[in-house]
Amino acid sequence: MCGIVGYLGARNAVSVLIDGLKRLEYRGYDSAGVAFLNEGALKVHKKVGRIAALEESLQALAPQTRIGIGHTRWATHGRPSDRNAHPHFDCTGKFAVVHNGIIENYGELREQLGARGHRFASETDTEVLAHLVEEAYEGDLCAALRAALEHVRGSYAVALLSEYHPERLVAARKDSPLVVGLGRGEYFLASDIPALLPYARQVYLLSEGEMAELTLDGARVLDRQGEPVAKEIFNVDWDAEAAERGGFPHFMLKEICEQPRALRATLGSRVTPEGDDAVLKEISLTLDELREFTKVTVVACGTAYHAGLIGKYVLEKLARIPVEVDLASEFRYRNPLLDAMTLVVVISQSGETADTIAALREARARGCRVLAVTNVVGSTVAREADQVVYTWAGPEIAVASTKAYTTQLLVMYLLGLLFAKARGTRTAAEIAEVTAALRKIPAQVEMILEQKECLRELAEKYCHCENVFFIGRGLDYAVALEGALKLKEISYIHAEACAAGELKHGTLALIVEGVPVIALATQDELLEKLLSNVKEVKAREGTVLGVCLGKKEEVARTVDHVINLPAAPSFVAPILAVVPLQLLAYYMAAARGCDIDKPRNLAKSVTVE
Ligand code: F6R
């Protein structure tokens, strides 16, 4: 995800900015840029690719400057390029902004600004901010930013530099982190603490809606109304490596905890302002074209394949269209039955998985249209597919996929709603109901994350077992598969998922006294059947952990431990139910002392067959 740094003080600002950006490299980025004041004039340098390229381009110039802002971009709106890299300017070139987050209504704003004569130099959502500041500016930089942000819907951490104010930086945040570093006679801005570690150990952590104003006289924090806020100083005592993980012991835990934010970003502009419908504007196929497809084939690997399995249930239920789900490594060699009326959906976090790319090419060679669901802008999958829907999970660094998976699920629901509309299989009221349930998910995931400690205790109790079984019916079965994969890949405990109804066709032979079985019990229509399977396990003295929506007496009575999720419709339960499974896997692996972020024999991006 993008990174922001800002500096004002006696050092060479460009060196501080470049160093700060390098310290944020671990977050992933595709381009970088800085803006600074050089002899009173606002200058910008930005480059696609590595920070080293930006650094090189600045070396010839060797600017001596005391104030500047910098950014590493992880493309969202517009492909990675020099032009789309931040900072962005207004029409006059007097204001430069860097921004993390997504401006959901940027399309409307861009149109309105265009009609008022503004000209845009990039494809980004961010650039509208610079033009809005230009319009709002009446001599007070802070007031101009505040006024500009009043027009904006979405999430942001933003920093603003202007030629009119050679000793002032202003910044603001909403749903995207931003901190102010307090040095001696020098002040810093950063989206993440690691950027500041060599310079400042005392910081203000900006809260939602707050703004910061940095001058050589000090740093002030202001509320939404522009009133000063008495801010507590936070003392940073992390080492550099821990700080990259934002204080979390592992990237995996950090990424699990980032899910509310990732889900909000993925849903973001895809819900109508009224909140009663979902839209996927990036899909250029019309409803008529979508209606013509007779089949959907989803192709992916590993966790992304599990997202595809949920997608099958969702699309078939909402849109009544047949859906096949294939492992990419199987699909490419089995001569699949495809025709021009089949939409092939490939799901890939990295967009670089060799088997998935090969499957995509195979599908295109056979005349299918391919829609990609991916997390990485400009990845091979994104470039080669006909249509792309991005998950805005931000860079996923831990090998075990967590936030990419839940955002993939969200996209599959949105796709289901789109197909339902095209095929007329759901009423507007039904679509509004599903949309409303999806909108609640990020806050509900937050509630599940609050149970972290209980899950850790549970995990520590079972961390020495040799086998764990996951059972479920319907959507819960697909979640069970993901739960088992998560556990085995990071803890090295043998974990197996079984459709609950299949237990007695073989797997039950392995259930003996004390064997832990995790029973997903979120599907209300199938609950009775599932509980019968749980009783089969109990009769063999297995130990059952049940996961259910809200408080369910019949589940609590039947299992040994119960994990309660917030109450929600069963149909959207997978996005919630997987979260405690991720945490259980994480804490079991942690208790066993495993190398969680880099499990043995595994790689984050599988670019070989
Ligand atoms: C498991 C995991 C893998 C990936 C798989 C596909 O936690 O991360 O199973 O899901 O290698 O990777 P992408 O989604 O990048 O194609």
Side-chain angles (χ1 to χ4, degrees), residues 341-382:
M341 292 298 99
T342 306
L343 176 69
V344 174
V345 176
V346 295
I347 309 178
S348 174
Q349 185 284 130
S350 61
E352 300 297 346
T353 301
D355 282 321
T356 309
I357 294 169
L360 180 160
R361 290 177 182 158
E362 172 76 19
R364 293 208 62 190
R366 285 159 172 258
C368 296
R369 266 164 301 172
V370 177
L371 184 151
V373 178
T374 182
N375 198 35
V376 180
V377 175
S379 58
T380 306
V381 158

